Amino acid sequence: MKKRIAAILTAAMMMLVCGCGSNNDSTTSADTQAVTEADAGTEAETEGDADTEEQPVSTTKSISMSVNRSDGKMSISRAAKKDTSMGEADTWTIFVYLCGTDLESSGQGSATSDLQQMLSAEKSDNVKFVIQTGGTSQWINDYFSTEACERWVVQNGDMEKVDTVDLSNMGAAETLSGFLDWGVQNYPAAKMGLIFWDHGGGSISGVCVDELNEGDTLSLSEINEALSQSYQNMTDKFEFIGFDCCLMGTIETANMLATYARYFYGSQETEPGSGWDYTTYGTYLAQNPGASGADLGKVIVDSFYDECASSSQEAGSTLTVVDLDKVDEFTVAFNDYAQNLYTAAQSNLSGVVRGINQADNFGGNNQSEGYTNMVDIGGIINNCSGYADGTEVLSALQNCIVYNKNGSDHTNASGLSIYYPLKVEDSKDLKTLSGICISPYYLSLVDMVAKGYSETGYNNDGLFSEDGEWTVEDGQSSISDDTYFNYADEEGEKDSKLITFAAEPAVQDGNYKFQLDESGLGYATTVSAFLSLQIDDENAYMIGETDDVEADWETGIFSDKFDGYWLSLPNGTVLETFIVESTDEYTVYVCPINLNGKATNLRVRQYPDYSTVIEGAWDGIGENGMASREVKQLAAGDQIEPRYMKLDDTEDKGEAYTWAEGDSLTYNKLPEGTYLYSFCIEDAYGDTLITDPVVFTVDAEGQIAFAEE
């Protein structure tokens, strides 16, 4: 949700300064037309300098999706399917694109740890790992060099450097395709896998941060470009393509990979730095070289979960095995569903958005930790079933999911995420989405929400050509206007004009309450509250967000049910809080803190009896869209300083506390003082109305009292 803290504080300061007071038949995957290499002209010879090192550019369209708005039908074409084995029976080569980045250079040595796991796997002449290194300023081992990209083979407990190439950008498509072209030529096998190892940020941000090249990353389109090039030199698909990275378990990723592999492994959520268990699954392949990608995937999922459990991080873990041969069937069904959902949203957008907002989401998505905009696709379909029948598309989704395992934080996660604009920073995200989106009608829904309310209404004409066609080919959209999404670059955030009242917000009988009128209720999607602590007559700072709001979505009546208690350190110092997730079973808060002098976020789970569990400290989403993989557990001696946002967008720090063994957070009465309370009402377009703050006081006995107007 878009929570505009500065706006809330501005309203609070105005209060301080001015004084208190007042189902269609569709094309199935069996009907899709495969584009053959001959049709695409891949046999045409490339003329030019014989000494050039550049690879010939492929004209094969690895994937082409199109919809004509006259009937809304989806058709999908892919490059010719290949199924001729490239090696002796029961042999495996697993290519690992090892972009070390700060997971290695910061001293964690996560890549080196996984390398050791490969070396520790049971010996076998039939299984080898082929690795390309790069992307980090320091390796925590004596083998790899930071001066070049090196290629290593790990087999039978030994490792050998077999090739060295110039240091190149691991975030560039040509670096990936160069590695794969070389690897497939020199180390073909009956079954081949490809693993991307590093940070991930989801469908928009991609993977593999090269810290030697200004943090450049591989986008899905760049991965497609590299795979399309290498696929020309293969007679078979990869048995699997997997991401030992955060947040890449998405339908956009699966759709792109379906041309090149049989199975896809990806996590919807962030992954711990330890990642996958290479010893366990390497040993499994040594003992079961005839295993399929589905069989191997189950072992990788289970061993990943067990490795997360060994560091007490299993609650947030997710990992999924997807049958890529079933993805086209799902995409066709989803397009039909999305068309109906988009139609429903034109007359009841707030209901649709409320359903989407209630779906599980991954990677933070809050003011303090940042936004990935990755939302569970099954949750969207389920929650919006009252607006569009999801029976067929849910069945198609379940057919795609071979196996998945979720921790207790994500028990209902379906296995795949999709991009949804919980918060849009600029047009780049939407432009990227337009080239990888799996339905023009879903893109229309996203566009409608992101663009915002217009008195003239919304239409999706700009997403289709003049002859009514929408196409996506290899990451490129048919949208002809390059400036179409530039509306997202407008500076500033809009106050909602759609939230209107039958009874204006006011303190009555000791409670702060309001009632939305029919129109306001029709646009509202969420209601929460924010508290600020008054420092003096001209200053205040935020202490956070609460869902202690009595909400009646039938009558439109909302009232505070604030009891005056707040999440605090053991010494009573309050923490600034933002809500990550709120359910009947628990609420997850994030609290901005400095931990041993470094800015980070403390994740806290609170239960209805007010007991708390600290999930750990997490840095959140970086400026490049990548998710931090390290969740640090608090230890005795750690210095914790709460951070608070002030009116002028500067931060204030609370009293430092030294964590001791056996400590836990408390839920205490707020300290004596004067506070400000505002409702934050969000509409279907993500714009918010911040109600005028009202004053309440906490006395020495902890009793709270709202000031009557």
Side-chain angles (χ1 to χ4, degrees):
M1 296 179 292
K2 299 177 183 176
K3 302 303 185 192
R4 295 179 294 116
I5 307 304
I8 298 168
L9 287 174
T10 299
M13 289 310 302
M14 289 297 293
M15 183 74 167
L16 290 172
V17 172
C18 297
C20 303
S22 74
N23 267 336
N24 298 321
D25 292 334
S26 301
T27 306
T28 65
S29 62
D31 298 323
T32 59
Q33 296 179 336
V35 179
T36 66
E37 293 182 4
D39 291 339
T42 58
E43 296 180 357
E45 295 183 359
T46 302
E47 297 181 359
D49 187 350
D51 294 328
T52 182
E53 295 181 359
E54 294 184 1
Q55 297 288 344
V57 177
S58 169
T59 57
T60 302
K61 296 298 183 184
S62 65
I63 177 172
S64 178
M65 307 169 63
S66 63
V67 171
N68 190 294
R69 67 188 310 169
S70 63
D71 60 9
K73 309 296 187 185
M74 168 74 72
S75 63
I76 304 172
S77 298
R78 295 187 182 274
K81 186 174 181 179
K82 300 180 179 182
D83 56 10
T84 301
S85 176
M86 296 186 67
E88 297 181 5
D90 294 342
T91 57
W92 276 87
T93 297
I94 298 177
F95 300 103
V96 183
Y97 196 66
L98 195 68
C99 184
T101 196
D102 65 319
L103 293 173
E104 184 73 9
S105 64
S106 66
Q108 297 180 61
S110 297
T112 296
S113 177
D114 283 348
L115 173 67
Q116 185 58 53
Q117 287 185 342
M118 297 175 204
L119 289 165
S120 299
E122 185 174 309
K123 296 178 180 180
S124 171
D125 291 336
N126 289 7
V127 181
K128 60 175 65 71
F129 295 93
V130 177
I131 302 168
Q132 171 147 327
T133 65
T136 186
S137 59
Q138 181 183 8
W139 295 103
I140 312 301
N141 61 57
D142 297 328
Y143 311 113
F144 298 161
S145 170
T146 58
E147 303 301 319
C149 285
E150 298 177 326
R151 292 163 178 171
W152 297 76
V153 172
V154 176
Q155 188 174 29
N156 288 323
D158 293 320
M159 57 184 292
E160 178 186 3
K161 184 167 66 175
V162 294
D163 194 24
T164 301
V165 296
D166 290 341
L167 187 65
S168 53
N169 181 3
M170 295 286 278
E174 55 267 26
T175 305
L176 174 60
S177 63
F179 168 53
L180 294 178
D181 290 345
W182 167 87
V184 168
Q185 179 180 355
N186 289 281
Y187 299 97
K191 293 186 175 73
M192 297 182 293
L194 169 61
I195 296 174
F196 293 89
W197 190 104
D198 189 29
H199 288 291
S203 299
I204 303 301
S205 300
V207 295
C208 295
V209 181
D210 191 315
E211 65 180 10
L212 303 178
N213 286 276
E214 299 180 343
D216 192 21
T217 64
L218 280 170
S219 67
L220 288 186
S221 295
E222 287 176 314
I223 293 173
N224 182 76
E225 179 185 343
L227 290 172
S228 179
Q229 169 62 44
S230 300
Y231 193 60
Q232 297 178 74
N233 303 321
M234 301 169 64
T235 63
D236 197 6
K237 288 185 173 185
F238 288 101
E239 184 68 9
F240 77 87
I241 297 176
F243 291 79
D244 192 357
C245 309
C246 299
L247 298 164
M248 297 308 296
T250 76
I251 185 58
E252 293 92 350
T253 307
N255 184 54
M256 182 270 291
L257 296 180
T259 302
Y260 312 110
R262 295 185 177 89
Y263 298 95
F264 159 49
Y265 313 151
S267 172
Q268 290 182 268
E269 188 52 282
T270 57
E271 285 191 0
S274 57
W276 297 358
D277 181 350
Y278 291 81
T279 298
T280 295
Y281 87 76
T283 296
Y284 172 80
L285 284 182
Q287 298 173 352
N288 303 274
S292 68
D295 298 329
L296 175 62
K298 293 178 182 179
V299 174
I300 289 178
V301 169
D302 287 339
S303 60
F304 167 73
Y305 184 86
D306 291 343
E307 186 152 304
C308 291
S310 68
S311 58
S312 300
Q313 297 187 67
E314 75 279 9
S317 67
T318 67
L319 196 59
T320 301
V321 180
V322 178
D323 183 345
L324 292 175
D325 285 342
K326 304 291 182 59
V327 166
D328 285 354
E329 293 178 6
F330 170 74
T331 300
V332 168
F334 183 78
N335 180 68
D336 291 343
Y337 170 82
Q339 185 175 12
N340 292 330
L341 189 63
Y342 166 64
T343 300
Q346 289 178 304
S347 58
N348 195 346
L349 181 60
S350 62
V352 171
V353 170
R354 277 200 296 269
I356 295 173
N357 285 342
Q358 291 165 7
D360 202 353
N361 65 76
F362 309 92
N365 294 309
N366 59 75
Q367 178 78 20
S368 185
E369 294 174 320
Y371 290 81
T372 65
N373 296 312
M374 293 291 102
V375 180
D376 186 66
I377 194 169
I380 291 175
I381 298 168
N382 265 315
N383 294 346
C384 296
S385 60
Y387 305 99
D389 184 2
T391 305
E392 290 188 13
V393 67
L394 282 173
S395 177
L397 176 61
Q398 291 163 1
N399 286 339
C400 289
I401 307 301
V402 175
Y403 187 69
N404 74 316
K405 200 164 190 175
N406 301 322
S408 58
D409 290 356
H410 300 293
T411 53
N412 295 320
S414 66
L416 287 171
S417 306
I418 193 169
Y419 175 90
Y420 177 80
L422 296 168
K423 182 176 178 64
V424 178
E425 296 291 348
D426 53 41
S427 62
K428 180 181 177 182
D429 286 7
L430 299 177
K431 290 177 180 177
T432 300
L433 176 68
S434 69
I436 59 175
C437 192
I438 62 170
S439 165
Y441 300 107
Y442 183 74
L443 183 62
S444 299
L445 177 61
V446 168
D447 185 40
M448 184 195 306
V449 171
K451 186 171 288 185
Y453 175 76
S454 170
E455 292 182 357
T456 60
Y458 172 85
N459 69 70
N460 61 358
D461 292 347
L463 304 181
F464 290 83
S465 65
E466 291 185 2
D467 57 359
E469 286 288 332
W470 170 87
T471 60
V472 165
E473 295 181 336
D474 289 350
Q476 299 296 317
S477 169
S478 61
I479 299 174
S480 58
D481 183 359
D482 290 339
T483 67
Y484 181 86
F485 295 107
N486 284 2
Y487 62 78
D489 294 327
E490 296 177 5
E491 294 185 2
E493 299 188 51
K494 294 176 290 184
D495 293 327
S496 177
K497 298 179 181 178
L498 305 176
I499 305 302
T500 49
F501 299 96
E504 294 286 336
V507 176
Q508 299 176 10
D509 302 323
N511 291 102
Y512 189 30
K513 60 180 64 176
F514 65 86
Q515 183 176 14
L516 296 173
D517 61 19
E518 183 177 356
S519 176
L521 190 59
Y523 283 113
T525 57
T526 64
V527 178
S528 61
F530 283 90
L531 270 66
S532 302
L533 172 62
Q534 182 175 340
I535 301 173
D536 52 41
D537 288 343
E538 296 183 355
N539 215 340
Y541 62 75
M542 177 69 63
I543 63 170
E545 180 183 17
T546 176
D547 60 355
D548 284 343
V549 175
E550 192 74 44
D552 188 332
W553 288 96
E554 295 296 325
T555 64
I557 297 175
F558 298 82
S559 174
D560 86 88
K561 58 175 183 178
F562 183 57
D563 58 6
Y565 284 82
W566 205 260
L567 202 61
S568 307
L569 290 171
N571 65 352
T573 301
V574 297
L575 293 163
E576 184 179 68
T577 64
F578 298 97
I579 297 170
V580 176
E581 181 182 12
S582 184
T583 72
D584 292 337
E585 290 78 30
Y586 57 81
T587 298
V588 177
Y589 294 101
V590 59
C591 308
I593 62 169
N594 290 332
L595 180 61
N596 300 322
K598 180 184 176 183
T600 187
N601 307 282
L602 193 64
R603 279 259 183 143
V604 182
R605 182 181 297 263
Q606 186 176 64
Y607 295 95
D609 64 357
Y610 301 120
S611 62
T612 59
V613 173
I614 298 174
E615 298 182 348
W618 183 55
D619 290 348
I621 309 302
E623 292 182 359
N624 57 6
M626 298 294 116
S628 172
R629 288 181 64 164
E630 182 184 17
V631 178
K632 179 177 172 56
Q633 302 302 313
L634 296 184
D638 281 343
Q639 293 288 312
I640 301 172
E641 287 181 309
R643 293 188 285 122
Y644 312 99
M645 184 174 290
K646 297 174 66 176
L647 173 63
D648 58 2
D649 284 338
T650 61
E651 287 187 347
D652 196 9
K653 293 183 292 186
E655 179 184 353
Y657 178 79
T658 302
W659 196 256
E661 186 175 354
D663 272 352
S664 61
L665 298 182
T666 61
Y667 193 60
N668 292 330
K669 280 282 189 179
L670 287 171
E672 184 178 3
T674 301
Y675 298 83
L676 302 170
Y677 184 105
S678 298
F679 286 113
C680 178
I681 311 168
E682 184 170 310
D683 68 28
Y685 300 98
D687 297 324
T688 52
L689 180 128
I690 310 300
T691 65
D692 290 338
V694 295
V695 171
F696 72 91
T697 57
V698 178
D699 64 21
E701 284 71 43
Q703 298 299 311
I704 66 171
F706 280 96
E708 294 283 349
E709 295 183 355

